[in-house]
Amino acid sequence: MIQVNLGSISTIAANVFREVIRDRTLYLVALYALILLAAVLLLPEVAAGTQDKMTLDIGLGAMNILGLIVTVFIGTGLINKEIEKRTVLVLISKPVGRGEFVVGKFLGLSAVLAVLIAVMTAIFILVLKLNEIPFPLGSILVASLYLFFQLSLIVAVAIIFGVFASSLLATLLTFSIYLMGHFSRDLLQLAEVSDNASIQPLAKSLYLILPDLARLDVKNGAVYGSAALPEIGTLLLNALYGSIYTILLLSVATVVFSRREF
């Protein structure tokens, strides 16, 4: 029977959380506020009539980009830097399972992302209210929640690549998976319109392997209103999809990490 030490997981997660927060990550919140203020001041001059929707789009887009920067650049180094500095030898010599080590790292960075997204969402709503810009509150909160699901999945991707690749290669591979994940549905369309019998199974296989990040992107619902949001059943299924995919990725990361020799 596999025994899981929740104390070890929580300790590792708390250490990651403190380390990332001390690394001035939350300075990105100030950058986000500046981006919003610039949008509010400049858009009425260049996009009269559409500035409200553009402000919503820019606010959510900037939240996504800043969150992705933290996810990729910190996520790929969560385990990689421990390997490069050889500090992993000290950690795994203690009564800490490698699976607990991976899960603790994941939960620590996910907690940072939760705080980061929550603070940026609060700033976003405050700026919109102060400037009397109409916005769908419920849709914005849903979009922020699903952004968290999406970035948590990418944390798991970053951990996998960080286990066996250099920092630079892991970063490039994670960004690649993020981009391909947003366009993975196009592979299905390619399979449908292609007359090449060999392309169809390849495209469908790639779609099944790559994460379908479009399922976790509901930004349009926040920009164009709740009518653009998927139905509640679809939202729940998409959240379940993201959770299961993330668990599978963490399982793969644990297997790969367990087989590494130090």
Side-chain angles (χ1 to χ4, degrees), residues 109-152:
L109 184 53
S110 294
V112 172
L113 289 172
V115 171
L116 188 63
I117 291 172
V119 173
M120 288 193 293
T121 301
I123 292 173
F124 187 33
I125 293 172
L126 179 62
V127 169
L128 293 175
K129 278 185 171 294
L130 291 177
N131 289 276
E132 298 182 347
I133 298 174
F135 62 94
L137 176 60
S139 299
I140 287 178
L141 295 178
V142 171
S144 297
L145 176 62
Y146 275 73
L147 174 60
F148 170 73
F149 290 153
Q150 182 184 150
L151 294 180
S152 294

Side-chain angles (χ1 to χ4, degrees), residues 96-205:
V96 177
R98 298 200 185 194
E100 296 166 357
F101 186 71
V102 169
V103 173
K105 292 284 188 179
F106 168 80
L107 292 178
L109 184 53
S110 294
V112 172
L113 289 172
V115 171
L116 188 63
I117 291 172
V119 173
M120 288 193 293
T121 301
I123 292 173
F124 187 33
I125 293 172
L126 179 62
V127 169
L128 293 175
K129 278 185 171 294
L130 291 177
N131 289 276
E132 298 182 347
I133 298 174
F135 62 94
L137 176 60
S139 299
I140 287 178
L141 295 178
V142 171
S144 297
L145 176 62
Y146 275 73
L147 174 60
F148 170 73
F149 290 153
Q150 182 184 150
L151 294 180
S152 294
L153 189 155
I154 297 300
V155 170
V157 173
I159 288 175
I160 288 179
F161 291 133
V163 167
F164 67 85
S166 65
S167 297
L168 178 59
L169 180 57
T171 299
L172 293 175
L173 289 173
T174 304
F175 269 122
S176 299
I177 293 296
Y178 175 82
L179 293 174
M180 289 189 289
H182 276 283
F183 294 103
S184 61
R185 288 189 178 181
D186 295 337
L187 293 171
L188 288 181
Q189 297 178 358
L190 175 63
E192 292 175 358
V193 302
S194 176
D195 295 328
N196 191 323
S198 62
I199 288 181
Q200 293 179 0
L202 176 61
K204 290 180 180 179
S205 298

Side-chain angles (χ1 to χ4, degrees), residues 146 149 185 212 215-216 230-245:
Y146 275 73
F149 290 153
R185 288 189 178 181
D212 185 359
R215 290 172 176 260
L216 305 175
E231 296 180 354
I232 184 65
T234 303
L235 286 172
L236 292 174
L237 284 175
N238 290 343
L240 180 63
Y241 167 85
S243 300
I244 292 175
Y245 202 102

